[in-house]
């Protein structure tokens, strides 16, 4: 018996959700009381400049809203992490992608000679 239109649409929705979930890594987030829960976040290498600005300016709510999976933002609110917990979260997110935050290789030296004339 062929699949119905509703079944096809439901299958497509599941595939789309799975693809979106593939864009996240799971890392622990420690709450103010020491309780730890796993949350899904975009890999640190995919954090937008606006998210990093929020983080640098201390707008943690804005930062987590931009980097966490929308279903996990309520976990962040529930845990109410300290600054130390947020730092550990950022480190875990960067380790999950294999690149430490702030550890850019920097510009490469020029292959051309820069001799003064």
């Amino acid at each position: 018996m062929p699949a119905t239109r509703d079944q096809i649409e439901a299958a497509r929705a599941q595939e789309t959700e799975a693809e979106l979930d593939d864009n996240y890594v799971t890392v622990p987030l420690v709450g103010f009381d020491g309780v730890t829960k796993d949350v899904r976040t975009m890999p640190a290498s995919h954090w937008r400049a606006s998210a990093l600005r929020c983080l640098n300016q201390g707008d943690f709510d804005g930062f987590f809203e931009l980097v966490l999976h929308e279903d996990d933002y309520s976990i962040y609110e529930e845990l109410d992490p300290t600054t130390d917990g947020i730092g550990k979260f950022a480190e875990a997110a960067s380790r999950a992608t294999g690149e430490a935050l702030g550890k850019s290789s920097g510009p490469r030296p020029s292959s051309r000679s820069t001799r003064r004339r």
Side-chain angles (χ1 to χ4, degrees):
M1 179 158 99
T4 66
R5 183 180 177 138
D6 289 340
Q7 289 172 328
I8 293 170
E9 287 178 14
R12 284 186 183 149
Q14 284 179 329
E15 288 174 11
T16 301
E17 187 174 331
E19 287 174 14
L20 291 174
D21 285 345
D22 287 344
N23 294 326
Y24 290 89
V25 293
T26 302
V27 296
L29 180 62
V30 181
F32 75 94
D33 57 358
V35 172
T36 302
K37 292 187 178 182
D38 287 340
V39 293
R40 291 166 289 177
T41 181
M42 286 189 269
S45 59
H46 290 85
W47 291 350
R48 297 189 328 243
S50 55
L52 295 173
R53 271 194 306 278
C54 286
L55 182 61
N56 290 331
Q57 294 171 354
D59 178 5
F60 301 131
D61 293 342
F63 167 73
F64 279 102
E65 189 172 13
L66 291 169
V67 301
L68 287 183
H69 188 282
E70 64 184 25
D71 294 342
D72 290 356
Y73 185 79
S74 60
I75 296 171
Y76 154 73
E77 290 180 313
E78 173 190 321
L79 291 174
D80 195 18
T82 63
T83 305
D84 187 48
I86 293 169
K88 289 179 181 177
F89 164 83
E91 289 172 11
S94 66
R95 277 194 313 273
T97 58
E99 184 176 323
L101 286 178
K103 300 291 183 188
S104 164
S105 61
R108 294 187 177 167
S110 173
S111 61
R112 298 167 131 200
S113 172
T114 56
R115 180 179 73 146
R116 279 190 134 169
R117 294 183 185 194

